[in-house]
């Protein structure tokens, strides 16, 4: 207990939250919803908390920080102005979705500071962005072919709408190349500097 770097209350609290969140999300959205990187991240973060793993926190930070931050900005903008400047948080205002489910979705707002705290506390593993890239190469093709109507992880097109600008497989290939290069790699560079700043 004395040697733990992550407080026990945080480990237990996040784990209990996941046990409440998962069945409610399953009932509301179905199995395919758990292929979203943010939802996979909830489980991986729980594992990372218990293992106190720099790799898992670095991996999830590389994959989630950018998109979760955009979500938070869009949600804050909608709350303050009534407009979605980016998109992606519209479901939070959908009265057809039960309020408890929407409240549980606020994990998107909590995740970025938690990941940054974890990298600060546990250290940064530069292999994290590579793990996220490998997961993307596995998960996104599954999302492309399995229940494509849900457009999980935007495997068929941005913002949950299938795109028709390019052939589907061309879009998929571009996704698998460009997202790691334009999102995961720059996030990796930023996280490495974040960790170095605290060490320095």
């Amino acid at each position: 207990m004395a040697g733990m770097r992550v407080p026990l209350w945080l480990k237990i609290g996040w784990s209990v939250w996941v046990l409440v969140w998962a069945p409610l999300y399953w009932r509301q959205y179905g199995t395919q919803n758990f292929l979203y990187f943010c939802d996979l991240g909830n489980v991986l973060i729980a594992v990372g908390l218990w293992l106190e793993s720099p790799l898992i926190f670095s991996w999830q930070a590389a994959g989630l920080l950018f998109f979760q931050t955009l979500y938070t900005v869009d949600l804050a903008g909608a709350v303050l102005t009534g407009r979605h400047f980016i998109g992606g948080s519209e479901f939070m205002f959908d009265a057809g979705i039960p309020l408890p489910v929407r409240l549980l979705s606020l994990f998107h707002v909590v995740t970025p500071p938690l990941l940054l705290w974890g990298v600060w506390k546990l250290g940064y593993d530069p292999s994290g962005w590579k793990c996220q890239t490998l997961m993307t190469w596995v998960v996104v093709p599954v999302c492309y072919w399995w229940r494509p109507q849900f457009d999980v992880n935007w495997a068929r097109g941005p913002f949950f709408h299938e795109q028709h600008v390019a052939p589907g497989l061309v879009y998929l290939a571009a996704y698998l190349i460009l997202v790691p290069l334009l999102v995961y790699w720059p996030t990796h560079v930023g996280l490495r500097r974040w960790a170095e700043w605290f060490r320095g």
Side-chain angles (χ1 to χ4, degrees):
M1 293 285 290
M4 287 196 307
R5 290 179 291 173
V6 176
L8 183 60
W9 65 263
L10 180 56
K11 296 178 179 181
I12 294 174
W14 188 268
S15 300
V16 170
W17 177 82
V18 167
L19 291 174
V20 173
W21 160 82
L24 288 176
Y25 253 52
W26 192 309
R27 184 173 63 185
Q28 179 68 32
Y29 296 116
T31 309
Q32 79 288 335
N33 203 77
F34 291 93
L35 288 177
Y36 277 108
F37 293 128
C38 54
D39 292 349
L40 290 168
N42 289 336
V43 177
L44 287 167
I45 289 170
V47 175
L49 287 169
W50 285 102
L51 296 180
E52 301 189 352
S53 169
L55 175 59
I56 293 178
F57 267 88
S58 302
W59 168 7
Q60 292 309 293
L64 297 179
L65 271 178
F66 177 75
F67 294 108
Q68 300 281 55
T69 300
L70 289 182
Y71 171 93
T72 301
V73 170
D74 187 69
L75 179 62
V79 170
L80 294 174
T81 70
R83 296 178 59 192
H84 294 274
F85 295 100
I86 300 170
S89 68
E90 289 86 352
F91 72 96
M92 292 293 287
F93 303 90
D94 184 353
I97 300 174
L99 181 60
V101 174
R102 284 182 282 155
L103 290 176
L104 285 171
S105 297
L106 289 173
F107 76 83
H108 295 89
V109 177
V110 175
T111 299
L114 175 61
L115 290 171
L116 288 173
W117 176 85
V119 170
W120 164 74
K121 189 71 174 178
L122 302 173
Y124 181 64
D125 189 322
S127 300
W129 82 278
K130 298 176 184 178
C131 292
Q132 177 62 28
T133 298
L134 288 174
M135 186 167 76
T136 297
W137 289 349
V138 172
V139 171
V140 173
V142 172
C143 298
Y144 181 86
W145 275 290
W146 184 57
R147 297 187 175 182
Q149 68 272 25
F150 293 105
D151 194 25
V152 172
N153 291 318
W154 300 353
R156 290 271 174 167
F159 298 102
F160 312 108
H161 297 288
E162 184 166 358
Q163 62 81 37
H164 300 285
V165 176
L169 291 179
V170 172
Y171 170 83
L172 176 62
Y175 184 125
L176 297 179
I177 295 170
L178 293 178
V179 170
L181 288 178
L182 299 180
V183 178
Y184 304 158
W185 169 255
T187 304
H188 153 72
V189 173
L191 287 167
R192 186 172 57 191
R193 291 177 179 173
W194 165 267
E196 289 172 354
W197 185 74
F198 280 106
R199 284 204 308 267

